[in-house]
Amino acid sequence: MTKLPALFVSCDADNIQSSGQACSGPARMIWGKHYKSVVIISSRCDHKTPEILQLKGDGGTAGRIKALLSGHGFEPEVCSRDVSSRHQLFRVLLAEEPGELTELILNTGMSELEYRPVGRCLEVLRKQDVLVICLDDKACHREADGISLHDRHLRELLSAWAQDQRWGTAMSFKGDAAGPAQNTRLDDPTVCLLNTAFTLGGSQFPQRMFSSGMNNVAQKVTGFGWLQ
């Protein structure tokens, strides 16, 4: 069964929406792919627990997300909300608005061991005609105390995680114990979200990177794509 790509998109959503231009970066990752629904995964410092927003459609995908997360100890609240700014954002990022749009908002302050199962359990949606996009919305992070990571730092993080994953798999195959669990509290919204994206993409380094410069730096869109 084929999978839709999983995307990690970093941008300032407020500036992207005001540009009025279509952005080719994310759209290139899904060129020729059919999807029935789009799920956004975002992270916010002002949230204490995960929350699911039904932004457009009948809510079927929101119910599936809740059921999948409940199996891993999460009990997110499902809310119905019409957010026109999200509709406009995805017209810019994907060149068309999806028929169903759902957002999962993750809170900061959990550990890697808590963020990664979120992506791992939601990976199944990629086989069900659902396009999953981890949206690192800089417009929501301006007041965060965490560090602001540049693209190089993100690539280095992903590379280290992929190496750790291969090492852990090899040790498990040989019957040896894996390395120490990562229980450090994560407060930077970008790192929290990237952990989820990593497992959503199969716990491997992404196969594609993209960068779409628009009118100015504030309207730049960068990210990663997991195609396998």
Side-chain angles (χ1 to χ4, degrees):
M1 184 179 293
T2 59
K3 288 182 184 179
L4 283 170
L7 305 181
F8 176 90
V9 178
S10 183
C11 66
D12 186 320
D14 288 346
N15 279 290
I16 295 301
Q17 293 167 53
S18 65
S19 71
Q21 302 180 51
C23 172
S24 61
R28 285 198 307 269
M29 298 294 101
I30 59 169
W31 185 263
K33 306 288 186 181
H34 173 73
Y35 56 89
K36 296 179 180 178
S37 174
V38 172
V39 170
I40 314 164
I41 304 178
S42 59
S43 57
R44 297 283 296 268
C45 295
D46 57 358
H47 274 55
K48 300 300 182 184
T49 58
E51 180 183 17
I52 300 171
L53 300 182
Q54 178 189 331
L55 303 177
K56 182 183 179 183
D58 61 8
T61 301
R64 275 187 281 172
I65 294 172
K66 181 176 176 63
L68 290 167
L69 292 179
S70 295
H72 288 78
F74 294 99
E75 290 297 337
E77 181 182 357
V78 179
C79 302
S80 181
R81 195 177 303 169
D82 185 10
V83 183
S84 59
S85 61
R86 285 306 198 213
H87 294 227
Q88 173 61 23
L89 174 64
F90 281 88
R91 292 191 197 105
V92 174
L93 292 180
L94 303 177
E96 63 180 271
E97 186 180 332
E100 185 177 30
L101 183 58
T102 309
E103 181 166 3
L104 169 62
I105 304 176
L106 301 176
N107 56 291
T108 58
M110 298 189 294
S111 70
E112 286 185 13
L113 293 180
E114 292 171 293
Y115 288 107
R116 294 191 180 182
V118 174
R120 192 175 295 116
C121 76
L122 296 185
E123 187 183 4
V124 68
L125 295 176
R126 297 174 57 195
K127 300 178 182 179
Q128 300 173 354
D129 296 325
V130 178
L131 178 64
V132 186
I133 300 176
C134 292
L135 178 65
D136 182 35
D137 186 353
K138 299 302 183 183
C140 296
H141 301 168
R142 288 194 186 110
E143 303 303 322
D145 294 329
I147 59 174
S148 176
L149 297 175
H150 298 288
D151 295 346
R152 179 175 60 85
H153 295 118
L154 297 182
R155 291 195 297 270
E156 289 173 350
L157 273 175
L158 284 166
S159 180
W161 293 343
Q163 291 179 22
D164 288 345
Q165 179 70 21
R166 289 192 293 269
W167 178 257
T169 300
M171 291 299 97
S172 176
F173 179 76
K174 293 179 179 179
D176 297 333
Q182 298 298 312
N183 288 311
T184 305
R185 173 189 169 98
L186 301 179
D187 291 313
D188 186 275
T190 300
V191 179
C192 296
L193 192 62
L194 194 62
N195 267 281
T196 300
F198 176 65
T199 50
L200 181 67
S203 300
Q204 58 184 318
F205 197 80
Q207 290 82 40
R208 294 287 187 274
M209 301 179 194
F210 58 85
S211 179
S212 300
M214 301 177 85
N215 289 337
N216 55 54
V217 174
Q219 293 175 347
K220 186 176 182 180
V221 178
T222 59
F224 308 106
W226 286 264
L227 310 183
Q228 298 175 359

